[in-house]
Structures are given as structure tokens and as C-alpha cells.
Amino acid sequence: MAFEIRKEALEARRKTLTGHLVEVEHTLDAPMPKDWEDRSSERQGDEVLESLGKAELDELRQIDAALARIESGDYGFCQICGDAISAERLDLLPATPFCKKCAK
């Protein structure tokens, strides 16, 4: 039952990230202003968006991997040592592939 709740949370987060990444992509694809000062400011904003987009893509990959582990029956087990990942850890980090000991 807890896995279903975590799966729903992962899927909801995935949907949020995907929607935001589309917004970031549209913002980055917008034409640059003609004014040099505006263009400089816009470029700084784009750098922040690119960094945020990369972080969100990484999180999206982790979520996809966690969803694949749920489907294969490997979810909740450390990908390094094979021990069960504590419910508390999965509640905090539902996409984590590692137990607390191996994540260090």
C-alpha cells in the first residue's frame, strides 16, 4: 500500500517537472531583446533557467528510474547492497535508489 502512495507521489512530481520543463524550454526559445542591457539581463536569467532545467532533468531521470524499479519489483531495495531502504527514507526521498548506509 505504501508503494502505491509513493508511486502516485512520484508520478505527480514527474508531471509537475515535465510541465515546468516545457515552460523553461519555451522561455529559453523566446527571441532576445534588441537592447543590449536588456539582452544581458535576459542572458543571466537564461543561465539560471538552464541550470534549473538541468537539475529538474536529473530529478526526472531519478523518478523514471524509481518508477521502473516499482514495475520490476526492485523498488525499496538498495541498488548497491540489496538491503531494504527504510520507509522513513523512502518517505523523504521516494526516488532514492540507495539505503542510508550506501548513500554516504
Side-chain angles (χ1 to χ4, degrees), residues 2 10 16 21 25 27 29 32 38 47 53 89 98:
L10 287 166
T16 299
L21 284 169
E25 184 177 331
T27 301
D29 287 343
M32 291 294 259
D38 288 345
E47 289 172 2
R89 183 165 172 79
F98 307 120

Side-chain angles (χ1 to χ4, degrees), residues 63-80:
I63 289 170
D64 286 344
L67 291 171
R69 287 191 304 276
I70 289 172
E71 292 303 314
S72 70
D74 295 327
Y75 183 78
F77 296 96
C78 179
Q79 299 297 293
I80 294 175

Side-chain angles (χ1 to χ4, degrees), residues 87-101:
E88 294 83 13
R89 183 165 172 79
L90 289 172
D91 288 343
L92 290 173
L93 304 166
T96 188
F98 307 120
C99 67
K100 184 177 179 180
K101 177 181 68 175

Side-chain angles (χ1 to χ4, degrees), residues 12-65:
R13 180 65 179 153
R14 186 183 196 293
K15 183 177 179 179
T16 299
L17 285 172
T18 303
H20 188 256
L21 284 169
V22 168
E23 290 176 26
V24 167
E25 184 177 331
H26 285 297
T27 301
L28 291 173
D29 287 343
M32 291 294 259
K34 293 187 189 284
D35 181 67
W36 185 84
E37 288 180 8
D38 288 345
R39 185 178 291 205
S40 176
S41 177
E42 184 83 19
R43 185 63 203 139
Q44 288 176 339
D46 286 355
E47 289 172 2
V48 170
L49 282 176
E50 287 172 358
S51 179
L52 179 62
K54 287 178 185 176
E56 288 180 343
L57 278 174
D58 287 343
E59 185 180 355
L60 193 58
R61 288 183 191 108
Q62 292 172 3
I63 289 170
D64 286 344

